[in-house]
């Protein structure tokens, strides 16, 4: 089995694990679990979480890039708040997200200007992250992890949909989507581990759904052009 197939299977396993982990009863250090939002079903058959918008299906390369730009920018804004964290690993995670996703935003904006100059400027469609500016200590770390984990999973789903449906028009976007999927998968695995370790399984967040999401396994079609 190829490394790419293993990555796609791992992403699918993480989606399933995170979606069900919120049912954990008590954490490992004896604290009462923090209540987490319960998902609700929508007419379209997807699961939404209180305070989180429903991500619409990706219709093509432009929609992927134009939605991912503000999605990344929201992550960067939240990650900057981790400079106040008491945990060095959280401060480092924040710096990694800021550096990586800021560079990716610049790249996506360049592609949009080059390939889709007449299309609308990317705008935020839905807010997933709460305002962290007034938080500190354990409250900051927990709120960030509970918000950024589903935020990362949304980016993984968007990237996987683009790849599995062969919607990318340029090979650069294929490589980019794989990088987003795999990089954010690894970060999501680490965040899930910290969240359970520090705050217990009862702290796991509600996970949003996206209509028309294909299975995370299978082969990827080639881009229609290079």
């Amino acid at each position: 089995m190829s490394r790419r197939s293993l990555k796609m299977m791992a992403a699918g396993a993480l989606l399933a694990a995170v979606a069900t982990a919120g049912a954990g009863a008590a954490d490992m250090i004896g604290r009462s679990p923090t209540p987490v939002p319960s998902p609700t079903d929508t007419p379209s058959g997807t699961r939404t979480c209180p305070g989180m918008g429903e991500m619409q299906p990706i219709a093509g390369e432009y929609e992927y890039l134009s939605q991912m730009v503000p999605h990344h920018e929201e992550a960067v804004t939240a990650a900057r708040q981790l400079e106040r964290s008491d945990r060095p690993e959280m401060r480092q995670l924040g710096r990694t997200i800021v550096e990586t996703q800021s560079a990716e935003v610049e790249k996506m904006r360049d592609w949009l200007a080059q390939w889709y100059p007449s299309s609308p400027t990317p705008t935020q469609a839905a807010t997933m992250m709460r305002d962290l500016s007034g938080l500190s200590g354990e409250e900051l770390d927990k709120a960030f992890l509970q918000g950024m984990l589903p935020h990362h999973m949304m980016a993984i789903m968007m990237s996987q949909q683009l790849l599995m449906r062969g919607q990318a028009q340029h090979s650069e976007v294929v490589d980019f989507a794989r990088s987003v999927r795999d990089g954010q998968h690894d970060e999501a695995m680490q965040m899930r581990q910290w969240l359970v370790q520090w705050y217990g399984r009862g702290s796991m967040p509600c996970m949003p759904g996206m209509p028309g999401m294909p299975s995370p396994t299978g082969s990827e079609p080639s881009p229609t052009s290079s």
Side-chain angles (χ1 to χ4, degrees):
M1 185 177 294
S2 70
R3 186 168 180 269
R4 182 183 305 164
S5 296
L6 289 171
K7 277 285 189 180
M8 289 189 290
M9 291 178 66
L14 178 60
L15 282 167
V18 172
T20 58
D27 71 30
M28 298 178 293
I29 57 176
R31 295 194 188 101
S32 296
T34 301
V36 294
S38 298
T40 57
D41 294 330
T42 68
S44 61
T46 63
R47 283 154 58 92
T48 62
C49 301
M52 296 181 185
E54 177 184 335
M55 185 67 69
Q56 296 303 310
I58 301 299
E61 181 180 271
Y62 165 74
E63 287 78 10
Y64 173 78
L65 294 172
S66 63
Q67 289 185 34
M68 195 64 77
V69 165
H71 192 74
H72 269 36
E73 290 175 336
E74 184 180 47
V76 169
T77 297
R80 293 188 192 280
Q81 303 299 319
L82 290 183
E83 284 298 326
R84 300 192 313 280
S85 175
D86 297 330
R87 289 187 170 98
E89 58 265 56
M90 290 293 287
R91 294 195 298 272
Q92 182 56 54
L93 173 64
R95 290 165 188 157
T96 299
I97 291 174
V98 169
E99 180 179 353
T100 300
Q101 297 201 29
S102 293
E104 289 175 344
V105 166
E106 183 176 353
K107 183 180 296 185
M108 287 187 288
R109 286 194 177 278
D110 286 344
W111 286 338
L112 285 167
Q114 177 182 349
W115 298 330
Y116 306 99
S118 301
S119 298
T121 301
T123 58
Q124 185 77 27
T127 299
M128 292 187 67
M129 294 295 297
R130 61 179 288 192
D131 182 7
L132 305 175
S133 59
L135 305 182
S136 61
E138 294 287 349
E139 191 178 13
L140 171 62
D141 291 351
K142 185 176 182 180
F144 180 87
L145 292 171
Q146 287 181 324
M148 193 56 72
L149 183 53
H151 198 276
H152 268 37
M153 296 314 298
M154 188 66 77
I156 292 169
M157 289 191 293
M158 290 168 64
S159 300
Q160 187 65 1
Q161 179 181 332
L162 183 85
L163 293 168
M164 294 299 293
R165 292 182 173 176
Q167 294 171 316
Q169 302 296 311
H170 299 84
S171 59
E172 298 97 316
V173 179
V174 173
D175 293 340
F176 177 82
R178 287 175 185 155
S179 177
V180 170
R181 179 196 64 194
D182 296 348
Q184 295 205 22
H185 166 265
D186 291 344
E187 288 179 352
M189 289 290 287
Q190 180 63 79
M191 288 190 289
R192 180 178 183 273
Q193 178 182 337
W194 286 339
L195 194 56
V196 172
Q197 177 183 342
W198 297 336
Y199 306 109
R201 291 186 179 274
S203 66
M204 290 298 295
C206 172
M207 298 299 294
M210 185 167 69
M213 180 59 199
S215 167
T217 60
S219 60
E220 298 169 10
S222 300
T224 57
S225 65
S226 59

